[in-house]
Amino acid sequence: MLFSKILLAYDGSKAANKALDRAVELAKVTQGSSLHVVHAFEFPRFFIGEALAPLPASVNKDYYDVAVKTTEEVKQRLADEGLNAKVELLQGSPAETILKYAKDNEIDIIVIGSRGLGGIREFVLGSVSHNVVQSARIPVLVVK
Ligand code: ATP
Ligand code: MG
């Protein structure tokens, strides 16, 4: 089987939702395949000079709640598709987390959106998709 373990990198953005559609199609046409979804989240860090500014716990909780909501959304969309997937919420920088997950789980292909939730439209790829394409040792399907 060409791509039996498929990893979708999901951040809730428009491109990530298009990537989700493609990952679902790929999983459906590949008998016996498994779909894995990773959403990475990081707590925000603010520096004052070189010192890390302490943040109120409520701010961290807000970030975490958004991350949980993002994974709930993707779980719902996959359930609507009747697809059984493993959805993981992992803490860490997105590109690193996606690549480590792919390696640890012997993933065959990574499906990722070209852009994400970031605002700058100047480049074709965002920093996460750029780093994943650059460093992955397996095929990456970048969905525009
Ligand atoms: P930047 O983050 O550099 O400002 P951007 O947000 O436009 O740019 P990326 O973050 O590179 O673009 O997003 C491209 C794709 O990478 C998304 O469509 C999604 O598939 C994946 N991705 C981005 N962030 C995450 C994340 N936190 N967890 C999992 N996948 C992610
Ligand atoms: Mg981004």
Side-chain angles (χ1 to χ4, degrees):
M1 212 181 298
L2 198 47
F3 301 126
S4 91
K5 287 178 121 185
I6 303 157
L7 173 61
L8 167 70
Y10 188 80
D11 67 350
S13 64
K14 199 174 157 198
N17 277 292
K18 285 188 184 172
L20 185 149
D21 291 337
R22 294 301 181 195
V24 166
E25 284 170 19
L26 194 57
K28 281 186 176 171
V29 296
T30 314
Q31 245 187 29
S33 66
S34 60
L35 178 61
H36 302 238
V37 183
V38 165
H39 175 55
F41 84 102
E42 285 176 297
F43 289 118
R45 283 183 296 182
F46 294 108
F47 289 90
I48 301 172
E50 283 181 7
L52 188 59
L55 281 178
S58 63
V59 173
N60 280 340
K61 190 180 175 302
D62 287 349
Y63 269 77
Y64 181 70
D65 287 348
V66 171
V68 171
K69 203 170 148 250
T70 305
T71 56
E72 293 304 327
E73 272 166 23
V74 75
K75 278 183 194 165
Q76 187 56 53
R77 286 204 52 195
L78 292 166
D80 294 345
E81 294 282 354
L83 214 86
N84 197 2
K86 192 171 179 189
V87 180
E88 300 269 13
L89 175 58
L90 300 173
Q91 192 182 344
S93 75
E96 231 173 85
T97 304
I98 293 158
L99 291 163
K100 184 176 186 311
Y101 186 93
K103 201 168 172 219
D104 292 351
N105 293 277
E106 297 174 324
I107 294 295
D108 300 304
I109 184 169
I110 299 170
V111 185
I112 195 166
S114 57
R115 297 301 313 233
L117 296 167
I120 307 155
R121 295 265 123 211
E122 192 183 342
F123 304 109
V124 175
L125 299 178
S127 59
V128 177
S129 47
H130 175 88
N131 284 329
V132 168
V133 169
Q134 190 91 350
S135 306
R137 293 282 164 263
I138 56 170
V140 181
L141 175 61
V142 178
V143 181
K144 277 186 167 188

